[in-house]
Amino acid sequence: MLTTLHTAYTDTRADDLAWALGREPLPALAVLDLELSGSKLQLRLLGASHQVLLEEDEGSCSETVACMPGSSTPLPLGVAKRLGDWEYEFAARVETLSQGSFAGRAQELLALVADHPNGLAGTFPGSPHAFTAMMAQRLDGQVRWRTWHAYPQEGRLVVTRTRVGALSHNARPERSVERAAL
């Protein structure tokens, strides 16, 4: 699903993105509710990026990647945590592209997500390549999602991927690898 987000494009620097687990639902500009083999997933486009809410019988998870005033947790390159009976893994990277490459990549990603049944993308007024996009799936008993946050004025694309699933028998105790990506 592709939508135009009716808000000012104020989330304009990739360096301002922060990551958080466990936040309450924030006001959303667009929402896609999904049922993925017993998992309820809500993809939420915010005025300042994205939030994903996951609910299963075993528990719930809330991931937020956004420009959050007062947040002191920068966007990490990677996180691996134990959340109750789940393993949570998050990874982020920043792509820096030329203006021409950026426009092509933006069009490619928007087309991919807009046509996907579990995809949600929102474009911001003022730039055809300013967008946030999300896509989810259930694979091998895990819920996975990917996101793309476009900053055309910088030529930067922030790409994240998340995997949440039941603990494996060989799971280690909680571990966390958090490094500032930006």
Side-chain angles (χ1 to χ4, degrees), residues 54-131:
L54 170 64
E55 272 190 53
E56 289 186 353
D57 290 339
E58 295 81 21
S60 62
C61 173
S62 165
E63 173 190 279
T64 306
V65 172
C67 296
M68 297 177 270
S71 175
S72 60
T73 306
L75 188 67
L77 292 176
V79 175
K81 285 187 174 281
R82 181 176 175 173
L83 300 175
D85 291 334
W86 287 341
E87 290 178 306
Y88 169 90
E89 289 183 7
F90 171 87
R93 74 176 192 278
V94 179
E95 298 176 13
T96 302
L97 304 162
S98 68
Q99 189 173 11
S101 295
F102 191 93
R105 182 96 164 107
Q107 290 173 337
E108 193 177 84
L109 287 169
L110 285 172
L112 171 74
V113 175
D115 291 340
H116 195 281
N118 298 338
L120 175 63
T123 57
F124 292 90
S127 172
H129 307 303
F131 69 90

Side-chain angles (χ1 to χ4, degrees), residues 18-23 41 50-54 60-65 68 73-92 142-147 160-168 171-178:
W19 166 87
L21 273 179
R23 288 193 94 136
L41 193 67
H50 89 257
Q51 187 172 51
V52 177
L53 307 176
L54 170 64
S60 62
C61 173
S62 165
E63 173 190 279
T64 306
V65 172
M68 297 177 270
T73 306
L75 188 67
L77 292 176
V79 175
K81 285 187 174 281
R82 181 176 175 173
L83 300 175
D85 291 334
W86 287 341
E87 290 178 306
Y88 169 90
E89 289 183 7
F90 171 87
Q142 301 171 337
V143 178
R144 301 168 185 233
W145 57 88
R146 298 194 57 172
T147 72
T160 74
R161 68 173 170 74
T162 302
R163 180 188 65 79
V164 179
L167 283 171
S168 64
R172 295 184 206 131
E174 180 176 322
R175 61 197 191 281
S176 179
V177 181
E178 297 180 19

